[in-house]
Amino acid sequence: MPGTAICNSVIQVAPNAWRLGELIICERVGTGPVNGAAITTWRDDEGILWYLRRGRKSDSRYYPNGRFAVPYHKSGTSGAIWKLGGMFVKVKSWGEGMDPESDTLKLIYESCPGVPVPRVVAHWVDMDTQRSFLILRPLRGQILLHAWPSLSPELRQYVANQIADVCEILAKHTATYMGSAANPLNGCRDQYLCPDRPVSIPSWKPISLPRIDEWNGQEYFDPFQIGRTFNLYHPELEPTNIVVTSDGRVTGILDWERAGYFPRCWISTKPQIADEFLLDAGPGVPDVTEWQWRLATTLEERGFIPEREEWEEFRGRISGTVSTAVSFAKYFPAETDEAEDNEVPDVPDVPDIPDVPDVRMDEVGEPSRLNAHDPHQVWY
């Protein structure tokens, strides 16, 4: 499967079985019994029993070549979602230095009560196909993009208030570095803060900044003021990533893989400048910028002061800069030998996320251990 399109990550190998990547089989067994090697089990809305297990060579006996399952949703060339057994199977391209979304979801779930995140049934990284897999419970409602035309102005503002509440909860968690939420050694991944993508980096792989401290980052961001304390933030609070009910209640926020510690001003600046926050034009949507300005205004009223003009000047200055180690070295001494002459501030304590082994199937179907995530590490 290495090298195949992301939409070919789920293959039906038998009438009641689907292979997820190269490692795992999702099987429908009706009323039972369940194979003793089951990793986890659940029942769908009709009471049918489903389970996950490790794959074996005999799984292709019905459909030797497999049948590609049709994705429920596709996200460019780097991600896709399937629906199996009432659960969502989310597959994303993965590479070294990228934090699996499951790590961030676990951190938010445990550290930020009140933030509605999807519930994870199982997760793993498939090292053979360089993809991460998440099995997620469905959320009640529909994405805000689709619900928006039917919401009254009062309910639209109610949604903005709830998302601002989430931003306030997250922002209470701070760090002295700008970087990933799940791994303090990794930098932030936000295209609006990064230089242009080098041609050597494939389109599916996000580019990221180095880990930034105030002492080594202000010159790069100037005149955008990053400060000395960074706030936990979900930088993709777009109408496609928010799930709401018909009465405007937010039941879930999606796509946490880019969450991290950002400058406080970025929390209210990002909604103003990112096209992803725009609504789709159509009946009931006279202003495609309404979600942008409602959220940005509400955040500013909560004390998150934007720096849009400063960001535009910063962006104009770095436009055309390629994100290579050579170009970064000008701004980030930590990437050069000069780093030894700088005093690096202490890294604050962050919640521990335990390392767990991955499970890889060899040719005879026996598991061998690698460094990544084990489907046995299931949490709710």
Side-chain angles (χ1 to χ4, degrees), residues 185-207:
L185 298 180
N186 291 338
C188 287
R189 293 189 287 132
D190 191 317
Q191 62 176 329
Y192 290 92
L193 297 176
C194 291
D196 294 340
R197 176 186 300 276
V199 294
S200 60
I201 297 181
S203 61
W204 61 263
K205 187 174 183 178
I207 59 174

Side-chain angles (χ1 to χ4, degrees), residues 221-295:
F221 282 104
D222 190 65
F224 197 61
Q225 296 298 309
I226 63 173
R228 297 187 176 185
T229 301
F230 301 90
N231 300 90
L232 185 58
Y233 174 53
H234 184 322
E236 298 184 315
L237 295 172
E238 306 149 11
T240 55
N241 286 337
I242 298 167
V243 179
V244 300
T245 57
S246 59
D247 60 359
R249 184 169 62 88
V250 175
T251 58
I253 298 174
L254 310 176
D255 287 353
W256 286 85
E257 55 259 38
R258 288 179 172 82
Y261 293 97
F262 290 85
R264 184 177 178 86
C265 59
W266 189 236
I267 296 173
S268 55
T269 303
K270 177 68 181 284
Q272 294 187 25
I273 56 90
D275 291 342
E276 291 82 359
F277 283 73
L278 295 173
L279 300 162
D280 287 345
V285 187
D287 180 5
V288 297
T289 69
E290 186 176 355
W291 174 242
Q292 282 186 308
W293 63 256
R294 280 192 184 275
L295 180 58

Side-chain angles (χ1 to χ4, degrees), residues 95-314:
E96 293 294 338
M98 295 174 61
D99 302 317
E101 185 180 3
S102 56
D103 287 357
T104 304
L105 283 170
K106 186 173 189 292
L107 184 149
I108 300 300
Y109 182 76
E110 295 178 347
S111 304
C112 301
V115 175
V117 296
R119 304 294 292 275
V120 176
V121 175
H123 61 91
W124 67 94
V125 171
D126 190 324
M127 303 296 287
D128 287 337
T129 62
Q130 294 288 282
R131 290 167 192 171
S132 64
F133 286 75
L134 271 175
I135 311 295
L136 299 167
R137 295 187 181 278
L139 296 165
R140 180 168 170 256
Q142 59 181 324
I143 60 173
L144 182 61
L145 182 71
H146 296 160
W148 192 266
S150 63
L151 297 177
S152 67
E154 292 76 18
L155 289 181
R156 293 174 180 180
Q157 185 57 46
Y158 177 45
V159 174
N161 291 341
Q162 292 173 82
I163 297 303
D165 290 342
V166 167
C167 290
E168 287 188 320
I169 294 172
L170 295 175
K172 292 178 181 178
H173 296 263
T174 61
T176 58
Y177 65 90
M178 178 178 171
S180 163
N183 187 340
L185 298 180
N186 291 338
C188 287
R189 293 189 287 132
D190 191 317
Q191 62 176 329
Y192 290 92
L193 297 176
C194 291
D196 294 340
R197 176 186 300 276
V199 294
S200 60
I201 297 181
S203 61
W204 61 263
K205 187 174 183 178
I207 59 174
S208 64
L209 293 167
R211 203 192 88 139
I212 291 172
D213 307 274
E214 186 271 341
W215 66 272
N216 75 341
Q218 186 55 61
E219 182 182 358
Y220 170 74
F221 282 104
D222 190 65
F224 197 61
Q225 296 298 309
I226 63 173
R228 297 187 176 185
T229 301
F230 301 90
N231 300 90
L232 185 58
Y233 174 53
H234 184 322
E236 298 184 315
L237 295 172
E238 306 149 11
T240 55
N241 286 337
I242 298 167
V243 179
V244 300
T245 57
S246 59
D247 60 359
R249 184 169 62 88
V250 175
T251 58
I253 298 174
L254 310 176
D255 287 353
W256 286 85
E257 55 259 38
R258 288 179 172 82
Y261 293 97
F262 290 85
R264 184 177 178 86
C265 59
W266 189 236
I267 296 173
S268 55
T269 303
K270 177 68 181 284
Q272 294 187 25
I273 56 90
D275 291 342
E276 291 82 359
F277 283 73
L278 295 173
L279 300 162
D280 287 345
V285 187
D287 180 5
V288 297
T289 69
E290 186 176 355
W291 174 242
Q292 282 186 308
W293 63 256
R294 280 192 184 275
L295 180 58
T297 300
T298 304
L299 287 168
E300 189 168 359
E301 291 172 351
R302 304 283 185 96
F304 296 98
I305 307 303
E307 292 189 8
R308 178 168 182 166
E309 292 182 0
E310 290 83 354
W311 175 84
E312 290 175 345
E313 184 176 343
F314 150 75

